[in-house]
Amino acid sequence: ISSATEYVLVNQERDGGWKCMTSYGDRKELADDFEIAATAINGSALLRLDDNGMAKESAGRALNWMLKQRKILQNEEKPPVVFMDYTVWSRSYCIDFLADCLQHKVGNADAVRAEISNCIKDLADRQQQNGGWSYYLTTKVGGAATPQSISFTSATVVMALERAVEVGMAVDEEMLKRGLDCMAALRCENGTFAYFLNGADFATSEPASFDIEGSAARGPACALSLIRGGRETFDDLAPRLQMYID
């Protein structure tokens, strides 16, 4: 933990964010969704350290960078989304980080809550008809988006929404319920979670089943989203973790 903390602190940029290997090139000051997500993850990790003043100061700088990104986004046209929309990742991890900022009293609480609300709205706008979320849009330029949800993407969004509720934020109950219904529908008989839930209509959507090896890494996250939503218990998490270990 000590060496990992040092690594994160040393690699923080002067502006407060963390660079990412997937950055799309020079977009002036506008970061891509991976860079925003990586900064949020690092910020959350630092805030969860015990009695580390330097880490908390670093997380505060990350928060200021994140809030600045929102202002830049409002004033600059974002690159067109063609094949993949990674907004779901950045907004979900931002909610986690912002909730941690509220919990640890980092930054202006009103500004933090306002940004959580912005993230929740962005995620609501991207909820699929069958209840989940996806970053995959289409394989063709200008093609119609494929109606489907991705299990581990949906789990990440659902857990972010659950975290928002924990810190007193307003989350539409139906939005969260539909997300949990989607996660439940993605469960397979062999204990795994399917990759996709295909189809726009939830009642007729079908999970695209995968083998145990392919599902091992996403299983624990998917199960945890259902546990936090009261749909499973920690006893249900154990076999998913064992599957991953095996």
Side-chain angles (χ1 to χ4, degrees):
I1 292 175
S2 177
S3 61
T5 302
E6 181 181 1
Y7 177 85
V8 171
L9 291 173
V10 166
N11 283 282
Q12 186 176 25
E13 298 291 317
R14 289 184 178 182
D15 62 6
W18 278 268
K19 290 295 183 185
C20 191
M21 292 295 289
T22 58
S23 294
Y24 304 149
D26 183 15
R27 283 286 302 166
K28 298 181 181 178
E29 294 181 288
L30 181 62
D32 64 49
D33 287 311
F34 288 108
E35 191 172 341
I36 293 172
T39 296
I41 291 169
N42 283 333
S44 284
L46 292 173
L47 284 178
R48 295 174 191 185
L49 297 170
D50 293 329
D51 300 322
N52 191 317
M54 185 179 297
K56 190 171 184 178
E57 186 273 335
S58 176
R61 289 168 52 218
L63 172 62
N64 291 336
W65 177 88
M66 182 180 294
L67 296 177
K68 182 181 178 182
Q69 284 298 313
R70 170 60 66 171
K71 292 182 179 178
I72 296 172
L73 188 60
Q74 290 173 341
N75 298 317
E76 182 175 341
E77 185 179 352
K78 194 175 181 182
V81 176
V82 182
F83 303 111
M84 308 286 183
D85 182 4
Y86 296 110
T87 303
V88 287
W89 293 117
S90 65
R91 299 301 184 268
S92 296
Y93 287 118
C94 281
I95 289 175
D96 284 336
F97 174 48
L98 292 165
D100 288 339
C101 287
L102 284 179
Q103 183 179 337
H104 294 275
K105 295 180 172 58
V106 174
N108 180 280
D110 290 338
V112 172
R113 289 185 179 277
E115 185 54 26
I116 294 177
S117 294
N118 288 334
C119 291
I120 292 172
K121 181 182 182 303
D122 284 348
L123 292 172
D125 291 343
R126 288 164 174 78
Q127 189 169 26
Q128 300 289 311
Q129 288 176 273
N130 61 18
W133 285 264
S134 176
Y135 60 84
Y136 170 74
L137 298 179
T138 179
T139 58
K140 298 180 180 180
V141 176
T146 303
Q148 41 71 29
S149 296
I150 297 177
S151 56
F152 52 89
T153 308
S154 300
T156 302
V157 176
V158 167
M159 286 192 285
L161 296 176
E162 290 166 340
R163 183 76 174 106
V165 172
E166 286 178 1
V167 294
M169 296 301 300
V171 175
D172 182 71
E173 292 183 4
E174 183 62 22
M175 173 187 176
L176 186 51
K177 177 184 179 299
R178 290 176 61 223
L180 287 166
D181 287 344
C182 175
M183 294 308 306
L186 281 156
R187 288 181 294 204
C188 301
E189 292 182 0
N190 60 1
T192 65
F193 284 83
Y195 197 110
F196 286 113
L197 185 66
N198 295 315
D201 180 11
F202 180 83
T204 59
S205 294
E206 291 291 337
S209 188
F210 279 74
D211 59 21
I212 290 177
E213 290 81 0
S215 175
R218 61 180 174 262
C222 293
L224 189 56
S225 70
L226 289 168
I227 290 169
R228 291 179 176 176
R231 302 287 188 97
E232 287 194 352
T233 70
F234 280 105
D235 288 340
D236 299 305
L237 180 61
R240 275 64 176 259
L241 289 171
Q242 189 61 52
M243 192 181 298
Y244 176 71
I245 292 169
D246 293 341

